[in-house]
Amino acid sequence: MFVRSLSLGVAAAALLAGGAQAADLIIPTTPQPIYEAAGFDWEGLYAGVRVGGQFVGADASTYAGYPINSTSGVLGAAVGVNFIPVDPFLIGAEVTGDYIWNNAFSTGEFFANLRAGAVVTDSVLVYAIGGLGTNNRTGFSQGVYQLGAGVELAVTDSVTVRGELVGQGDFDGAADPFFEGAKATVGVFYHF
């Protein structure tokens, strides 16, 4: 009887000790934090291409030698950099080069621009743009300026699409309206 009681006692002690060791195998962990994207990063370098049209009105004498009441196609590129000094305000610098053509002529137009805007939501930027540049045709070069606005939408983590409308004028010294023409473009941009 004593042997039997001793055997049962040893078996019970072994079971309890095994259960305690099994409990020690559970390693407490803290839950992993949930990663939530911070939104599109508008700061930094970007480059892109754009297409559109340029229009010179009937009330302008001429814009950079373009005929009155003319419409031209625009194919161009832009490279720039953005900074966000204080959320949600954005400032930036941009260089654009456009090839402009119609049935009568073709020309190149280059601008150095400044941009100022606001990040409305994580994926939407509205901005104002202004710049100085030059319009170059064979044997003709004219100083020009532009002032306008645009909207840029983030499509992926590094790609945006943009629509922009600027009024344009030249420095020919004539008593012209402030805006002698307009340029409307849409583009796709890659942010590095």
Side-chain angles (χ1 to χ4, degrees):
M1 179 88 169
F2 175 74
V3 174
R4 189 190 231 182
S5 295
L6 185 62
S7 297
L8 285 173
V10 170
L15 284 174
L16 290 175
Q21 289 175 351
D24 291 342
L25 293 176
I26 298 172
I27 300 170
T29 60
T30 57
Q32 293 293 324
I34 297 172
Y35 176 77
E36 192 170 316
F40 188 80
D41 184 11
W42 291 99
E43 286 190 294
L45 295 171
Y46 62 90
V49 295
R50 60 195 202 151
V51 297
Q54 188 173 48
F55 317 97
V56 177
D59 59 343
S61 58
T62 58
Y63 165 70
Y66 291 44
I68 295 173
N69 247 354
S70 64
T71 301
S72 305
V74 175
L75 179 61
V79 175
V81 63
N82 291 326
F83 304 98
I84 298 180
V86 177
D87 194 35
F89 300 108
L90 176 137
I91 57 172
E94 180 178 278
V95 177
T96 60
D98 294 325
Y99 174 72
I100 302 168
W101 76 96
N102 67 18
N103 293 337
F105 63 88
S106 64
T107 182
E109 197 165 73
F110 305 94
F111 281 96
N113 301 300
L114 294 177
R115 295 193 330 156
V119 179
V120 179
T121 68
D122 287 342
S123 60
V124 178
L125 168 70
V126 293
Y127 64 92
I129 187 168
L132 299 173
T134 182
N135 184 292
N136 301 308
R137 289 202 323 240
T138 305
F140 181 78
S141 182
Q142 177 71 55
V144 292
Y145 58 88
Q146 66 181 7
L147 184 61
V151 175
E152 196 163 354
L153 306 170
V155 179
T156 69
D157 288 341
S158 55
V159 176
T160 61
V161 293
R162 176 194 297 185
E164 185 175 282
L165 177 64
V166 294
Q168 297 181 301
D170 61 22
F171 296 108
D172 64 0
D176 297 329
F178 185 74
F179 291 126
E180 300 169 287
K183 185 189 294 182
T185 58
V186 293
V188 177
F189 293 82
Y190 184 82
H191 293 253
F192 298 97

